[in-house]
Amino acid sequence: MKTVTVNIVTPDGPVYDAEVTMVIAKTTSGEMGVLAGHIPMVAPLTIGAVKLRKADGQTEVAAISGGFIEVRPDKISILAPSAEIASSIDLARAKAALARAEQRVQKKQDNVDFKRANLALQRAINRIKVHEGNI
Ligand code: ATP
């Protein structure tokens, strides 16, 4: 099966660079699978998991906190505010972030704080799910 290079880049630097046969990502209009040779496109991503299927049949998973996927026939770039490969997720940190965010969501002080807390909540839940392989 043909392969395509995938880069995941965040403001902190590159997180992933490998050859894969397929990328499955959650865009704002739904989940999409991209194979090598796909026509060029750009789509916004939601907080979610990105699955990276390798030629040997293994699948790596990354937790992505939004951003964009840019597809070209020979290269797929994911630009995200933050991204972690499952094995590099600190579960205790994500659980602590989840507890903090839950408290802030419950307080519902003002709309801005609520939205921010809700996004932090989603990021934490996503990291926990990806770390546990529960995706
Ligand atoms: P926290 O409150 O724990 O910082 P957050 O959702 O606010 O969580 P982000 O702003 O999304 O964190 O990310 C800041 C940096 O910390 C990024 O480089 C991100 O990859 C990293 N990061 C955040 N949470 C984790 C985690 N649980 N495990 C590993 N890296 C993490």
Side-chain angles (χ1 to χ4, degrees), residues 12 65 82-84 88-90 93-94 97 100 120 123 127:
D12 295 332
S65 61
S82 68
E84 305 87 35
S88 70
I89 291 173
D90 178 340
R93 177 175 170 176
R100 278 198 308 275
R123 288 196 300 275
R127 286 178 176 127

Side-chain angles (χ1 to χ4, degrees), residues 34-85:
V34 185
L35 299 168
H38 196 284
I39 55 163
M41 57 153 282
V42 174
L45 297 173
T46 62
I47 294 170
V50 168
K51 291 172 216 158
L52 305 144
R53 198 152 294 163
K54 312 288 284 280
D56 63 5
Q58 296 217 346
T59 300
E60 289 186 282
V61 184
I64 303 290
S65 61
F68 290 87
I69 182 168
E70 181 195 23
V71 178
R72 283 186 268 142
D74 60 341
K75 188 173 175 186
I76 298 172
S77 303
I78 291 174
L79 311 171
S82 68
E84 305 87 35
I85 293 295

Side-chain angles (χ1 to χ4, degrees), residues 87-131:
S87 57
S88 70
I89 291 173
D90 178 340
L91 185 60
R93 177 175 170 176
K95 284 187 172 170
L98 175 64
R100 278 198 308 275
E102 277 173 341
Q103 279 191 344
R104 277 184 273 145
V105 165
Q106 275 161 14
K107 277 192 196 153
K108 288 184 191 155
Q109 279 162 342
D110 64 50
N111 201 29
V112 175
D113 280 350
F114 179 76
K115 277 189 183 160
R116 198 189 285 177
N118 212 14
L119 288 171
L121 187 74
Q122 287 180 45
R123 288 196 300 275
I125 291 171
N126 184 41
R127 286 178 176 127
I128 292 167
K129 280 187 173 171
V130 168
H131 178 85

Side-chain angles (χ1 to χ4, degrees), residues 8-32:
I8 302 177
V9 180
T10 75
D12 295 332
V15 169
Y16 189 82
D17 182 355
E19 289 289 309
V20 306
T21 55
M22 177 156 73
V23 175
I24 301 170
K26 283 193 181 123
T27 74
T28 51
S29 32
E31 192 165 69
M32 69 173 233

